[in-house]
Amino acid sequence: MSFLSHKPIESVAEARARAKRLLPKDVFTAMEAGSDSGATMRENLRAFEQIGMIPRVGVDIPTRPDLKTRFMGMDIDLPVVIAPAAAQAMHPDGEVGVARAASRAGTVMGLSNFASMPVESVASANSQLVGHLYLSGDRDTMADRVERFRRAGVKGLIFTLDLSASRVVHQPRDWGSPVYPDGLGLGTFLKYAPTAALHPRWTLRYLRRGSVPGLYAPNMSKKGGAVPTLIGGLNEWIGTHIPTWEDMAWLSNLWGGPFMIKGLVTPDDARRAIDVGATAIGVSNHGGNNLDTTPSPLRFLPAVVKAVGDQAEVTFDSGVRRGTDVVKALALGATSVMIGRPWFYGLATDGERGVYEVLETFRVTIERALIGLGKSSIKALTPDDLVVPKDFFIDEIAVARY
């Protein structure tokens, strides 16, 4: 049940505004903030605004253009995929609600190994689920987690490679970082009681469900071991060596199925990923949550697409907020786009229904953009549909100078 207005969400901006009003400041900041000054996060948004689109008129096209594509070998009806994310203390629906919303929208959900709900429960809500891992613990521990994903019915595996610069629990940010509680003891309840009282609608959601915000990481548990807290899981990850290409080759071989390496921006890294077994490349700077002042991955996308050719799928994320952003990324060669903060806003606003409504805002605005461009399908999009500033793209030679 929703405790907000039942007025449907009509844009990501509206979902964000509702989430900001509803959530405690620490929860919203944890979801919203980028690393350090947030320069990369802002650059990700600006990059899309710098690219224009060329309208075409008088074209005979259907009123509902074709949005179908493939993601990690799966057919999907919407080229917008739920990116994996941890610590979903936004709504008691949690990852299961997100999975249901994605299934209803005809798309895939990525599930983080730091998720607050077990993979088995989430997989039962969406048959098109991909699992996400960081390198954490020794290889036996990693192998056990991979096998758990496999037994749960996960269809593909995503490994995020780019969060090496942020391997601290409380990452410093210019606007301040919230401190994540280590579990839910009496001290935690007393400390956050005033916050809960000041945000009654958010608090009542959990009270009426008889639950609490997810501060545990059930998919990080070891055989026969207790479920760790989120902080406990993060500490294990921080204590593990930074992943190498050798680790990626081992993991790809262990999984043996669709395998994405995410967090790449340069053509040479994309080629290395294919060499170690990646079937999909995730062009991304982690939404501005890794190395601050990194250029938008949109500026690198065509060079990566060219380097990859037909050897792997190319997906894109970082700064996507509306359907026109999706269309621009697809026109530059991506086969699909992943979103993070937008679905978080929807979850915070109205749980499963909020996530579904955010996905539908993307569907509607993608269709509207295609009609404006005179295209009957996302497959017909090309760079010729765009107006791009001179020197916007970072090609392979520029990467070498960069």
Side-chain angles (χ1 to χ4, degrees):
M1 172 185 257
S2 170
F3 301 104
L4 293 179
S5 167
H6 286 196
K7 179 181 179 294
I9 296 168
E10 295 181 347
S11 70
V12 171
E14 180 185 344
R16 180 186 180 277
R18 290 195 202 180
K20 187 175 183 179
R21 289 194 301 269
L22 176 73
L23 295 176
K25 181 180 178 181
D26 278 1
V27 178
F28 184 79
T29 301
M31 169 181 66
E32 173 79 354
S35 62
D36 299 333
S37 70
T40 293
M41 185 176 68
R42 294 190 296 272
E43 166 62 16
N44 290 344
L45 300 176
R46 279 196 298 265
F48 280 107
E49 294 177 350
Q50 290 179 268
I51 294 180
M53 296 189 292
I54 303 173
R56 303 291 183 185
V57 297
V59 182
D60 184 16
I61 56 175
T63 56
R64 300 298 301 269
D66 180 15
L67 308 190
K68 291 182 173 62
T69 187
R70 288 177 67 79
F71 180 83
M72 297 186 73
M74 292 177 282
D75 293 323
I76 54 177
D77 296 330
L78 180 69
V80 180
V81 172
I82 298 290
Q88 297 183 20
M90 311 292 161
H91 193 283
D93 283 356
E95 290 88 356
V96 169
V98 177
R100 289 174 179 153
S103 179
R104 184 179 169 193
T107 192
V108 172
M109 176 187 176
L111 180 73
S112 172
N113 59 325
F114 286 119
S116 65
M117 293 181 172
V119 60
E120 294 82 4
S121 299
V122 183
S124 68
N126 190 327
S127 62
Q128 292 185 305
L129 187 72
V130 294
H132 168 268
L133 290 173
Y134 291 110
L135 190 68
S136 183
D138 58 26
R139 285 198 172 182
D140 287 343
T141 299
M142 288 291 295
D144 286 342
R145 289 173 181 153
V146 168
E147 289 309 307
R148 181 178 177 183
F149 278 161
R150 197 192 309 276
R151 289 194 303 271
V154 162
K155 299 299 191 294
L157 199 64
I158 298 174
F159 190 96
T160 295
L161 195 56
D162 71 334
L163 207 55
S164 301
S166 305
R167 293 169 72 92
V168 291
V169 176
H170 304 307
Q171 176 185 341
R173 294 166 173 158
D174 286 6
W175 45 69
S177 298
V179 177
Y180 302 116
D182 190 9
L184 293 168
L186 177 61
T188 299
F189 281 110
L190 292 176
K191 179 179 179 180
Y192 287 93
T195 296
L198 290 170
H199 297 84
R201 289 181 295 179
W202 177 74
T203 305
L204 278 172
R205 287 172 168 173
Y206 289 96
L207 293 178
R208 295 199 178 191
R209 296 276 188 96
S211 63
V212 293
L215 295 175
Y216 291 86
N219 300 306
M220 293 291 287
S221 60
K222 299 178 181 179
K223 279 186 177 179
V227 174
T229 63
L230 176 62
I231 295 300
L234 287 170
N235 283 335
E236 179 192 273
W237 170 58
I238 291 166
T240 305
H241 69 270
I242 292 175
T244 65
W245 292 113
E246 182 183 353
D247 293 317
M248 297 300 94
W250 171 79
L251 188 59
S252 172
N253 183 65
L254 177 69
W255 174 246
F259 181 63
M260 177 189 292
I261 297 181
K262 181 176 174 292
L264 313 180
V265 295
T266 65
D268 57 333
D269 278 347
R271 283 189 286 264
R272 285 178 187 145
I274 292 170
D275 288 343
V276 300
T279 62
I281 303 297
V283 179
S284 164
N285 63 25
H286 213 92
N289 273 307
N290 186 37
L291 181 63
D292 202 24
T293 69
T294 301
S296 165
L298 198 65
R299 300 181 66 192
F300 295 92
L301 180 57
V304 172
V305 169
K306 181 179 178 181
V308 169
D310 60 0
Q311 298 176 87
E313 293 178 15
V314 176
T315 189
F316 176 92
D317 74 71
S318 298
V320 177
R321 295 293 185 273
R322 52 189 59 83
T324 50
D325 298 341
V326 176
V327 166
K328 291 170 187 178
L330 298 179
L332 293 174
T335 55
S336 60
V337 165
M338 302 181 80
I339 57 169
R341 290 183 180 91
W343 69 257
F344 254 140
Y345 299 145
L347 180 66
T349 299
D350 209 2
E352 175 187 336
R353 177 165 54 187
V355 177
Y356 175 73
E357 289 176 354
V358 164
L359 289 170
E360 286 303 293
T361 70
F362 277 100
R363 189 190 308 276
V364 169
T365 51
I366 293 169
E367 290 177 343
R368 187 168 62 208
L370 288 174
I371 292 171
L373 290 168
K375 304 290 183 180
S376 61
S377 168
I378 58 172
K379 296 179 180 63
L381 292 167
T382 74
D384 291 339
D385 295 309
L386 308 178
V387 178
V388 183
K390 182 181 180 182
D391 299 326
F392 179 86
F393 293 124
I394 301 174
D395 59 23
E396 197 143 10
I397 295 174
V399 168
R401 293 197 307 265
Y402 181 74

